Amino acid sequence: MQQSDLCFLTIAEASRGLRRKEYSSTELTNACLERIDHIDGKLHCFVTLTADLAIKQATQAEQELRSGKDRGPLHGIPIALKDLYMTKSIRTTCHSAVLANWVPDYDATTVTKLQDAGAILLGKLGMHEFAFGGPSVDAPFPAVRNPWNTARIPGGSSSGSGASLAAGLCYGSLGSDTGGSIRTPSSHCGVVGIKPTYGRVSRFGVVPLSWSLDHAGPMARSVEDCAILLQIIAGYDPNDPASANVAVPNFRLGLNDGIKGLRIGVPRANWFDENLGVDPQTEGVFNQALETLEELGVTLVEIDGNPFSLARKANQTILVCEAYAYHEKRLQEAPEKFGSSVRRRILEGAFLSAADYITAQRVRSVLNAQISQSFSRVDILATPSAPRPPDPFEGMDPNEQNLRPSFTNPFNLTGLPAISVPCGFTVGNLPAGLQFVAPPFEEATAFRVAYAYEQATEWHKQRPML
């Protein structure tokens, strides 16, 4: 098998190949490291590459598998982490000069779970500074580029997590999502990413942006791979006050059950058409995806999009208030270390009052109830993942990027599980994503619908030419 083919295996495929002894964990790891060395100079996905550690872990994984110690489907598989997941003895920068040389003394809970599962850590991935602002223009690390067109943004804030997967630099990654930061780069890079239900995955050891909106979750090149990763990192953690003590089902168990008879809600009226300004090409790709879903046997139900449309203002008010509370001391002591875009956005929180914050939380409760009522009529929701294709870097205003409407942030406000899966390309060969949103803790339903669509199409098999 050629190196490029080896690098584009799914986790499930690579795991089966390891057990059939078609290749070793060291071969998978070296293939990724060689590809990183060859092309990451023009993508800037990795902030910190842990090559020596990866080889050491791969060697150990080989020995364990040979001896019969099998830790599961991620054993011996190279992955990478968004650079806000704390890693013991490995720097965690959040893509910022503020933490450029910070080396944590403990691992995030999710990192520990991945290690226990036998995953191989290739390194830490670039992002938007502190998961806020926009593509970094004055950070100490270069902005991540989109593998489909390096003149375009990859989406954020989990930029490196999406771009590295699309480019074949790793097999899986973790991102974080406060307003769309897993689903947007998944859409813009043509990969799969899921924001689980709020509380499903521990955020302990994940540098926060907004405590009540932050979600940790997996990204990969297939729906099944995301299910594999979520299976490993999900579960109750007493170290995270928001962690939900609920049972974790087998997310892969019902992937092949089909979706005939399911009702899919499309909240188009008063959202897509009136308030969002969806790019016509993006909407065209989305409508084609809906036709495919109908062919698979679902019933499409048009529902009122107004509650979803109203969610953005409350989401942004809560976000900037909580971000300012976290960063206030650092901003007072060394404001010059923050990039201009993220500094400006965080400082917005200084001018909001307690009344603003409480009002936004009250609005949140009302909208949660209204959006939850949608599930009395439908089983799952469908929207585009992003309203437009990835923008070019040239002429881009990072501040303007954050003022645009969003298909993703209503589901941070509600905490609902939401997955983005590739659904086509716009003119210029730029990827587009399809978002499915399920009721609380029904990630298995989101996976089942996304998998049925994925298997009925070829979009997830496309690779960028690098």
Side-chain angles (χ1 to χ4, degrees):
M1 184 179 294
Q2 293 183 353
Q3 184 205 71
S4 60
D5 293 328
L6 202 62
C7 289
F8 279 96
L9 293 170
T10 66
I11 291 173
E13 290 167 342
S15 183
R16 289 192 292 269
L18 284 176
R19 282 149 186 79
R20 291 194 294 256
K21 297 183 173 59
E22 295 173 2
Y23 34 74
S24 67
S25 179
T26 298
E27 287 177 284
L28 294 179
T29 302
N30 279 327
C32 288
L33 291 173
E34 289 173 19
R35 188 163 174 82
I36 292 167
D37 182 65
H38 179 59
I39 66 172
D40 198 42
K42 52 188 174 183
L43 296 178
H44 311 301
C45 292
F46 282 84
V47 170
T48 301
L49 190 65
T50 55
D52 291 343
L53 174 64
I55 294 299
K56 180 180 178 181
Q57 291 176 334
T59 301
Q60 179 183 343
E62 285 178 27
Q63 293 170 348
E64 289 178 345
L65 287 168
R66 279 199 300 266
S67 68
K69 183 177 182 179
D70 191 333
R71 299 174 186 241
L74 208 59
H75 199 175
I77 303 297
I79 57 96
L81 304 169
K82 184 177 183 178
D83 201 20
L84 48 58
Y85 284 82
M86 292 169 61
T87 41
K88 184 178 181 179
S89 302
I90 302 169
R91 72 172 180 169
T92 301
T93 73
C94 293
H95 213 104
S96 175
V98 177
L99 298 177
N101 299 304
W102 180 46
V103 179
D105 58 5
Y106 64 92
D107 288 318
T109 296
T110 43
V111 174
T112 299
K113 289 187 172 188
L114 291 170
Q115 290 173 342
D116 291 344
I120 311 304
L121 179 61
L122 293 170
K124 310 294 286 294
L125 297 165
M127 52 186 280
H128 291 176
E129 183 177 3
F130 284 115
F132 208 16
S136 302
V137 294
D138 48 9
F141 313 102
V144 181
R145 299 273 168 167
N146 194 317
W148 292 94
N149 183 336
T150 56
R152 301 272 177 163
I153 64 170
S157 63
S158 306
S159 314
S161 302
S164 61
L165 288 163
L169 306 185
C170 62
Y171 295 91
S173 64
L174 296 191
S176 67
D177 194 312
T178 309
S181 292
I182 285 174
R183 291 157 291 158
T184 302
S186 294
S187 177
H188 284 354
C189 294
V191 299
V192 183
I194 185 168
K195 179 195 77 61
T197 307
Y198 186 76
R200 173 68 88 183
V201 175
S202 171
R203 288 102 36 94
F204 178 73
V206 182
V207 177
L209 173 59
S210 171
W211 293 284
S212 71
L213 298 170
D214 288 345
H215 298 65
M219 300 167 68
R221 282 191 292 270
S222 76
V223 173
E224 183 180 16
D225 286 0
C226 274
I228 289 171
L229 286 163
L230 185 60
Q231 195 74 53
I232 290 164
I233 63 174
Y236 175 66
D237 178 13
N239 290 316
D240 179 356
S243 183
N245 193 1
V246 297
V248 178
N250 184 333
F251 294 121
R252 298 167 76 189
L253 192 60
L255 287 180
N256 286 299
D257 287 354
I259 58 174
K260 186 176 181 179
L262 282 184
R263 301 163 299 167
I264 295 184
V266 183
R268 192 189 310 267
N270 302 313
W271 190 20
F272 293 18
D273 46 8
E274 294 185 14
N275 297 324
L276 201 56
V278 184
D279 169 73
Q281 293 180 48
T282 300
E283 187 163 21
V285 169
F286 173 68
N287 289 333
Q288 290 174 7
L290 293 181
E291 291 176 6
T292 300
L293 290 167
E294 285 188 300
E295 292 169 1
L296 292 171
V298 308
T299 299
L300 299 181
V301 181
E302 294 284 341
I303 62 175
D304 183 16
N306 193 55
F308 305 87
S309 171
L310 297 174
R312 181 170 180 82
K313 186 173 181 180
N315 190 94
Q316 290 302 300
T317 299
I318 293 166
L319 193 162
V320 296
C321 286
E322 294 182 353
Y324 179 73
Y326 179 74
H327 288 286
E328 180 182 18
K329 184 177 180 181
R330 288 191 180 116
L331 279 166
Q332 291 173 346
E333 293 176 346
E336 73 284 353
K337 288 190 176 181
F338 289 82
S340 58
S341 174
V342 73
R343 182 174 63 245
R344 185 196 65 81
R345 293 214 68 204
I346 294 174
L347 283 172
E348 291 174 9
F351 299 97
L352 293 169
S353 67
D356 293 324
Y357 181 74
I358 295 301
T359 299
Q361 291 287 12
R362 293 178 66 187
V363 170
R364 179 184 201 168
S365 296
V366 172
L367 293 177
N368 280 353
Q370 292 176 347
I371 291 172
S372 295
Q373 288 174 3
S374 302
F375 292 110
S376 65
R377 298 181 56 205
V378 301
D379 302 296
I380 201 162
L381 305 172
T383 76
S385 300
R388 59 192 294 170
D391 288 321
F393 277 97
E394 185 176 355
M396 179 198 65
D397 180 354
N399 296 324
E400 189 270 338
Q401 285 272 321
N402 296 292
L403 299 175
R404 291 178 180 167
S406 166
F407 280 120
T408 52
N409 62 44
F411 310 114
N412 294 85
L413 199 70
T414 58
L416 297 173
I419 188 170
S420 177
V421 62
C423 70
F425 293 83
T426 62
V427 173
N429 201 37
L430 297 171
L434 172 64
Q435 179 178 230
F436 294 112
V437 184
F441 299 103
E442 290 193 24
E443 289 87 358
T445 301
F447 280 133
R448 178 160 61 98
V449 179
Y451 183 80
Y453 175 80
E454 176 191 71
Q455 296 303 301
T457 60
E458 298 289 315
W459 307 120
H460 62 292
K461 297 180 180 180
Q462 305 300 311
R463 302 180 190 175
M465 299 297 292
L466 286 164

